[in-house]
Amino acid sequence: MNETNVMNAARHSPEEFLIATIARLLGGAGHVAVGALSPIPGCAALLARELGGGRPRVSIIHGDANNPFTDGGRELFDCAGQGRIDVFFLGGAQIDGGANINLVGAGGYPRPRKRFPGSFGSALMYFVVPKVILFAPEHSRRVLVKKVDFVSAPGTSPPEVRRPGGPTALVTGLCLMAFDAATKRFRLESVHPGHTVEEVRDNTGFDFDVPEDVPETPPPDADRLALLRTKIAAEIAKTYPDFAARVFGHVTIA
Amino acid sequence: MNETNVMNAARHSPEEFLIATIARLLGGAGHVAVGALSPIPGCAALLARELGGGRPRVSIIHGDANNPFTDGGRELFDCAGQGRIDVFFLGGAQIDGGANINLVGAGGYPRPRKRFPGSFGSALMYFVVPKVILFAPEHSRRVLVKKVDFVSAPGTSPPEVRRPGGPTALVTGLCLMAFDAATKRFRLESVHPGHTVEEVRDNTGFDFDVPEDVPETPPPDADRLALLRTKIAAEIAKTYPDFAARVFGHVTIA
Amino acid sequence: MTSLEDLDQLAARVPDGALLALAPDYSWVPMAAVRALIRRRVKGLHLLAVPISGLAADMLIGAGCVGTLEAAAVSLGEAGPAPRFSDAVESGAIKMRDSTCPAIHTALQAAEKGVPFMPLGGLVGSDLVSHRDDWKVVDDPLGRGGGPIVLLPAIRPDVVMFHSPRADVHGNVWIGRRRELMTMAHAAKSTLVTVETVEDEDFLADDATAAGTLASLYVTAVAKAEGGAKPLGLAGYYERDLAHIRAYAKEAATAEGFKRYLAREVLGQPARAAS
Amino acid sequence: MTSLEDLDQLAARVPDGALLALAPDYSWVPMAAVRALIRRRVKGLHLLAVPISGLAADMLIGAGCVGTLEAAAVSLGEAGPAPRFSDAVESGAIKMRDSTCPAIHTALQAAEKGVPFMPLGGLVGSDLVSHRDDWKVVDDPLGRGGGPIVLLPAIRPDVVMFHSPRADVHGNVWIGRRRELMTMAHAAKSTLVTVETVEDEDFLADDATAAGTLASLYVTAVAKAEGGAKPLGLAGYYERDLAHIRAYAKEAATAEGFKRYLAREVLGQPARAAS
């Protein structure tokens, strides 16, 4: 890590860094949809829209702001099934090296040792959205496992299964990885400032490809940070007032 | 036909007679739905509701009055599929002795000699509404045929077909018939004042059962006629102003 | 993003041979756009009535714009049969794919969900089924002894067109209780809307208007066309002109009469609404 | 016809063992009615979250009202995991039928259309499918080489319950853009609604309100319950009380803590809303 990046890194919060990292993955997309409880992906999508002069279109299903859906809870999924959503975000209480995700529980099923909330819409969205970005802030062997205990949604499918979509990237607190559906493996794309390839390896339960040269994930520049703390903070506050207050110090005026 | 009935018959229009006849078939129903372009069944349903103190519930899909549907064009059919509609009305450019109905064309298919508008929703409604009343004001061998040229919807179905509904009655300008799905035959129930069993037989292209005693269809009494010409006329005028003006002389005040 | 353009630009977005879906005569039919389509001499349309049509289909058929018609019925309602439709089917001038109302709604819902088919009750034993090589009767695929059921392939229109009283400046369109328009737009590749007015508002900002709004996400282009549903009505805004429709029925009873109507009301008047 | 009654009468309409459907915490959840259900000690519910739930499911589970839970997820959102839910699944106290959001919507749409099943994309290869003996993977039944697809049997709830800001005197209920409530009501055998106010109007008389209205045709009974969604919010009317929900999450982390909450906020207060 060079001097400049250390200085840049000091000027932003971890959330701001992740937002900028995810936003960089959204260039060129036409329509980014953001599910419930996703303030960081939500900010990333709004930042990308701001930088793109209104493109991508951003739809946030939580709340009424930036929410175009007027046909009930099914519309997000119908919309994805129609092929109108280019990018979506999924988490995973467990994610394995084949990009299988588990949102259901650790240990046995149906009586897991530790129960998670459940699969939400993953078992459809993962199949039909062309670019699904996995987001796992906690980069640990607890989350990034060798093999998930329950497949909420598989990372890849056999050729006879209609699957226009799937995972393309994984963003964690340590690094950015790309997923290749052909090899069914992740590849390390960049490591966040202040962290190392070794650290990523030590904290990852699955095997992944590492190119000879692994760049550092660039930190957000001053312009982006300024945008985030003003326009984006005000916009996301309509959906996530608590998050906006905590991360940007943005107080919503009712 | 006796004197009283002749006198009664003189006091009402053919439309009023048919309305009263159909209304009599609706007693005990919970929900009567009326399709597009059905002013006579519509009046009958409204009359039955008035006489029943608000029951049956009446839903008219044409226009906004008495129209509870707020989920688009499919709702009538979904509602019927849910089993929420007890009575519906269908016509038939051709109806045969097995209660098969043809709304598509006379002569060959796909190039008929004479094309009719089309099957509308009959191919579902005839299967799922428990009591479908066939309404054919023109009682002639042109309409009531030996065998329909095209089956828009069959009168009966084999036992393996899920069919909670079907035809129960046929009201024409000459008579009222009941349909028995077990024997797959119509039975003459009553003949309208001024007409005879012979006349019905002469003008019917299919064979049907005739009981020894065929009563006369009772004409509407004075109370019902008064209701029709006041409350029902005003109510149906919201949906069919032209019909209300022509039949009841009811002028809509906008 | 939604494009705001003029009526002829809008009509130019409907290519020859397109699968074009139109709602029934009572459901905000874009008659001005239909006339613009006829003026631009669109050809070989696969016209889908959702699920029935009247004046709009009859005029497009009469003007030679339609190759295939899929509908549950075509009729001018109180004004009687649709003369150009009947004539075209009887003469074999168009290919008719007869359907039934719920089948068309269901096939569009399949496209709306992005699934290849949906099942529908009834139908079994109707001649509609035997004349449709795309519909398939299968024995209860759940294997629970539910008996035969018909599977309907999804219908994905190339273009949906309708007329609405109001759009907002963001391209959101008011549809009120005309929810079939929403299903159609969701199912379609593109949706073209003519409107009476474009308002400087955001219909999605208020729960009361959001409930009756089709979001711009689904709207390809909007064009202003005052009186754009005439001579049909725009429920809550203006009544249909039944005298005009009755006169049409009479005049269009012959091919020659229809040509006269077309010359007078459509081709001769590029910018004016018939009324 | 729609019946106007009090909260306890409404709760009495939910029999033990009923298949009860509730919408997500953000979608007008009838918390006052949920508390009334707990007070009347309803047992053995098959609770269906449409498609996820939070506080409502967690409280019903904690109070021992639920036999089976079908849901795509249960969570208290920003307030963290749903503690009574997690505990009940881990201990085997309830039978869990894991689903995914679009599968629950689709199964309700099947019931809404009165068809025995609907297909849904995705799903193939998810362990959700292998643990559901009612879902069936079939090879493209159209026979067009579309590959495997999952068929989901219709779900027909015995009872749907929700809270709305307003009903009219005819029993029509405002749902605004909460259209999932309409699908649920269409699919269900009975629909029970609590409301803030009953207005002397006819929501269906005006196109603007009709668009966001569930007709009384589908409404079994209405009860007035001011603040009936609290401590959850009623979008556009009042905000959820996040402090209350966070405090609940903390207290309900243990069975004993949950009992205290129940005694204080539910059983001890027959007529008052928690807030």
Side-chain angles (χ1 to χ4, degrees):
Chain A
M1 191 157 90
N2 62 36
E3 284 293 303
T4 321
N5 278 357
V6 169
M7 285 175 58
N8 278 339
R11 293 206 322 262
H12 55 253
S13 69
E15 288 88 353
E16 287 169 337
F17 182 86
L18 289 170
I19 291 166
T21 301
I22 294 174
R24 222 173 286 119
L25 303 174
L26 307 180
H31 183 198
V32 178
V34 181
L37 282 183
S38 307
I40 288 175
C43 287
L46 293 172
L47 177 60
R49 181 176 75 183
E50 192 61 33
L51 294 170
R55 192 184 152 92
R57 178 187 283 273
V58 176
S59 298
I60 301 180
I61 68 160
H62 190 94
D64 283 348
N66 293 292
N67 182 346
F69 298 127
T70 56
D71 204 21
R74 68 168 176 258
E75 187 175 0
L76 170 72
F77 307 103
D78 289 356
C79 190
Q82 291 152 28
R84 288 186 208 268
I85 297 178
D86 303 313
V87 185
F88 192 68
F89 304 92
L90 286 173
Q94 293 182 334
I95 299 171
D96 70 22
N100 301 300
I101 61 175
N102 173 12
L103 294 153
V104 161
Y109 188 88
R111 279 184 64 181
R113 192 176 64 250
K114 169 76 184 154
R115 172 73 202 199
F116 313 139
S119 301
F120 291 95
S122 62
L124 177 73
M125 298 301 271
Y126 216 30
F127 283 77
V128 297
V129 175
K131 190 170 180 169
V132 175
I133 297 173
L134 296 171
F135 178 51
E138 175 187 326
H139 191 133
S140 73
R141 286 181 173 257
R142 203 172 67 103
V143 173
L144 304 176
V145 298
K146 192 169 179 61
K147 195 174 177 317
V148 294
D149 292 337
F150 184 98
V151 178
S152 285
T156 55
S157 299
E160 69 271 20
V161 175
R162 187 179 168 272
R163 182 163 191 171
T168 59
L170 166 64
V171 176
T172 74
L174 296 185
C175 70
L176 167 66
M177 292 190 184
F179 185 74
D180 182 347
T183 62
K184 303 184 189 178
R185 284 173 67 86
F186 283 102
R187 190 188 62 215
L188 189 60
E189 291 286 301
S190 66
V191 174
H192 301 342
H195 302 288
T196 65
V197 173
E198 266 321 282
E199 199 183 344
V200 170
R201 218 173 239 139
D202 286 350
N203 289 284
T204 305
F206 57 77
D207 195 30
F208 55 93
D209 295 333
V210 181
E212 272 187 40
D213 250 358
V214 180
E216 192 176 273
T217 315
D221 62 27
D223 288 356
R224 278 169 176 71
L225 279 174
L227 264 181
L228 264 180
R229 290 166 186 175
T230 53
K231 286 191 91 160
I232 308 305
E235 196 63 24
I236 203 70
K238 297 177 190 165
T239 308
Y240 299 107
D242 293 353
F243 176 86
R246 182 169 60 78
V247 172
F248 303 116
H250 182 95
V251 179
T252 313
I253 295 131
Chain B
M1 191 158 87
N2 63 36
E3 282 293 304
T4 320
N5 279 356
V6 170
M7 287 175 60
N8 279 340
R11 295 203 321 262
H12 56 252
S13 68
E15 287 88 353
E16 288 169 336
F17 181 87
L18 289 170
I19 290 166
T21 301
I22 294 173
R24 222 172 286 119
L25 302 174
L26 306 180
H31 184 199
V32 178
V34 181
L37 283 182
S38 306
I40 289 176
C43 287
L46 293 172
L47 178 59
R49 181 176 75 183
E50 190 62 33
L51 295 170
R55 192 184 153 92
R57 178 187 282 273
V58 176
S59 298
I60 300 179
I61 68 160
H62 191 94
D64 282 348
N66 293 291
N67 183 346
F69 298 127
T70 56
D71 204 21
R74 68 168 176 256
E75 188 176 358
L76 170 72
F77 308 104
D78 287 357
C79 189
Q82 291 152 27
R84 289 188 209 267
I85 297 178
D86 303 312
V87 184
F88 192 67
F89 304 92
L90 287 172
Q94 293 182 334
I95 299 170
D96 70 20
N100 301 301
I101 61 175
N102 173 11
L103 295 152
V104 161
Y109 188 87
R111 281 184 62 180
R113 191 175 66 251
K114 169 77 185 151
R115 172 73 202 200
F116 313 138
S119 301
F120 291 93
S122 63
L124 176 72
M125 298 302 270
Y126 216 27
F127 284 78
V128 296
V129 175
K131 190 170 183 171
V132 175
I133 297 173
L134 296 170
F135 177 51
E138 176 188 324
H139 191 133
S140 73
R141 285 180 174 258
R142 203 173 67 103
V143 174
L144 304 176
V145 298
K146 192 170 179 61
K147 195 171 175 319
V148 292
D149 291 337
F150 183 98
V151 178
S152 285
T156 55
S157 299
E160 69 271 20
V161 175
R162 187 180 167 273
R163 182 163 191 171
T168 59
L170 167 64
V171 176
T172 75
L174 295 185
C175 71
L176 166 67
M177 291 190 184
F179 185 73
D180 181 348
T183 62
K184 303 183 188 179
R185 285 173 68 85
F186 283 103
R187 189 189 63 214
L188 189 60
E189 291 285 302
S190 66
V191 174
H192 301 342
H195 302 288
T196 65
V197 173
E198 265 322 283
E199 200 182 345
V200 170
R201 216 173 241 136
D202 287 349
N203 288 285
T204 306
F206 56 77
D207 195 31
F208 54 93
D209 295 332
V210 182
E212 271 187 39
D213 251 358
V214 180
E216 191 176 273
T217 316
D221 62 27
D223 288 355
R224 276 169 178 70
L225 280 174
L227 263 182
L228 264 182
R229 289 165 188 176
T230 54
K231 286 191 90 159
I232 307 305
E235 195 63 23
I236 202 70
K238 297 177 190 166
T239 309
Y240 298 108
D242 292 354
F243 176 88
R246 182 169 61 76
V247 172
F248 303 117
H250 182 95
V251 179
T252 312
I253 294 130
Chain C
M1 299 287 147
T2 310
S3 163
L4 183 61
E5 48 201 38
D6 74 26
L7 198 52
D8 288 332
Q9 288 173 302
L10 201 82
R13 288 180 178 269
V14 183
D16 288 354
L19 200 174
L20 171 68
L22 293 174
D25 277 4
Y26 60 79
S27 184
W28 298 4
V29 171
M31 288 305 297
V34 164
R35 287 187 292 269
L37 273 186
I38 292 173
R39 279 197 302 274
R40 97 147 194 69
R41 305 273 179 201
V42 69
K43 289 281 170 245
L45 292 177
H46 180 136
L47 185 62
L48 177 73
V50 185
I52 61 171
S53 187
L55 187 63
D58 205 61
M59 284 177 58
L60 285 167
I61 292 166
C65 305
V66 177
T68 299
L69 172 67
E70 180 161 2
V74 180
S75 149
L76 298 180
E78 289 92 324
R84 292 300 92 215
F85 158 74
S86 308
D87 192 64
V89 176
E90 289 162 12
S91 71
I94 60 168
K95 189 174 170 237
M96 182 66 200
R97 287 160 73 85
D98 268 288
S99 190
T100 182
C101 304
I104 291 174
H105 291 304
T106 299
L108 289 171
Q109 283 185 281
E112 180 179 55
K113 287 202 96 62
V115 293
F117 65 88
M118 267 195 195
L120 184 64
L123 299 184
V124 179
S126 164
D127 283 344
L128 292 171
V129 179
S130 43
H131 287 94
R132 290 288 298 239
D133 56 10
D134 53 339
W135 295 359
K136 190 164 176 190
V137 186
V138 297
D139 195 46
D140 175 14
L142 288 182
R144 295 175 172 189
I149 189 156
V150 179
L151 306 183
L152 308 169
I155 299 178
R156 189 159 181 221
D158 294 311
V159 185
V160 158
M161 284 200 326
F162 66 89
H163 182 71
S164 159
R166 31 193 310 236
D168 70 20
V169 289
H170 309 282
N172 302 307
V173 174
W174 176 252
I175 56 163
R177 59 153 78 184
R178 303 264 76 86
R179 299 291 295 194
E180 56 275 3
L181 301 174
M182 184 172 284
T183 309
M184 290 163 68
H186 289 177
K189 291 178 201 160
S190 72
T191 294
L192 311 178
V193 184
T194 57
V195 295
E196 298 286 324
T197 59
V198 177
E199 298 175 18
D200 189 10
E201 274 194 62
D202 180 358
F203 295 169
L204 293 176
D206 180 355
D207 190 55
T209 46
T213 295
L214 173 70
S216 61
L217 169 57
Y218 302 99
V219 180
T220 312
V222 171
K224 251 188 93 165
E226 271 178 63
K230 292 183 181 182
L232 299 177
L234 190 62
Y237 294 81
Y238 43 85
E239 293 295 310
R240 77 192 155 156
D241 182 349
L242 189 54
H244 182 112
I245 300 165
R246 286 205 162 113
Y248 170 86
K250 210 168 161 184
E251 193 167 17
T254 64
E256 296 67 36
F258 176 76
K259 265 187 201 155
R260 269 199 314 275
Y261 177 91
L262 210 58
R264 190 179 65 244
E265 302 285 344
V266 181
L267 302 175
Q269 308 196 346
R272 249 191 57 200
S275 62
Chain D
M1 300 286 148
T2 310
S3 163
L4 182 61
E5 49 201 38
D6 72 28
L7 197 53
D8 290 331
Q9 287 174 303
L10 201 81
R13 287 180 178 270
V14 184
D16 288 353
L19 201 174
L20 171 67
L22 293 174
D25 277 4
Y26 61 78
S27 184
W28 299 3
V29 171
M31 288 305 297
V34 163
R35 287 187 293 269
L37 273 186
I38 292 174
R39 279 196 302 276
R40 95 147 196 67
R41 306 271 179 203
V42 68
K43 288 281 170 245
L45 291 178
H46 180 137
L47 184 62
L48 176 73
V50 184
I52 61 172
S53 186
L55 188 63
D58 205 61
M59 283 176 59
L60 285 166
I61 291 167
C65 304
V66 177
T68 299
L69 171 67
E70 182 162 2
V74 180
S75 149
L76 297 181
E78 289 92 324
R84 293 299 91 217
F85 158 73
S86 309
D87 191 66
V89 176
E90 290 161 13
S91 71
I94 60 168
K95 190 174 169 235
M96 182 67 202
R97 285 159 76 85
D98 267 289
S99 191
T100 182
C101 304
I104 291 174
H105 292 304
T106 300
L108 289 171
Q109 282 185 282
E112 179 178 56
K113 288 202 96 62
V115 293
F117 65 88
M118 268 197 196
L120 183 63
L123 299 184
V124 178
S126 163
D127 283 345
L128 291 171
V129 178
S130 43
H131 286 94
R132 291 287 300 237
D133 57 9
D134 53 339
W135 293 1
K136 191 165 176 188
V137 185
V138 297
D139 194 46
D140 175 13
L142 287 181
R144 295 175 171 188
I149 191 157
V150 179
L151 306 182
L152 307 169
I155 299 178
R156 190 162 181 220
D158 295 311
V159 184
V160 158
M161 285 200 326
F162 66 90
H163 182 72
S164 159
R166 33 195 306 239
D168 71 18
V169 289
H170 308 283
N172 302 307
V173 173
W174 176 254
I175 57 162
R177 59 153 78 183
R178 303 262 77 85
R179 301 292 295 196
E180 57 275 3
L181 300 174
M182 184 172 283
T183 309
M184 289 163 68
H186 289 176
K189 292 178 197 159
S190 72
T191 294
L192 311 179
V193 184
T194 57
V195 295
E196 298 286 324
T197 58
V198 177
E199 297 174 18
D200 189 11
E201 275 195 60
D202 180 357
F203 294 168
L204 293 176
D206 179 354
D207 189 54
T209 46
T213 295
L214 173 71
S216 62
L217 169 57
Y218 301 99
V219 180
T220 311
V222 172
K224 252 186 92 165
E226 271 178 63
K230 291 184 181 180
L232 298 177
L234 191 62
Y237 294 82
Y238 45 82
E239 293 295 311
R240 77 192 155 152
D241 182 349
L242 188 53
H244 182 112
I245 300 165
R246 286 205 162 115
Y248 169 86
K250 209 167 162 184
E251 191 167 17
T254 64
E256 295 66 38
F258 177 75
K259 264 187 199 154
R260 270 198 313 275
Y261 177 90
L262 209 61
R264 190 180 66 242
E265 301 286 343
V266 181
L267 302 175
Q269 308 196 347
R272 248 190 60 199
S275 63

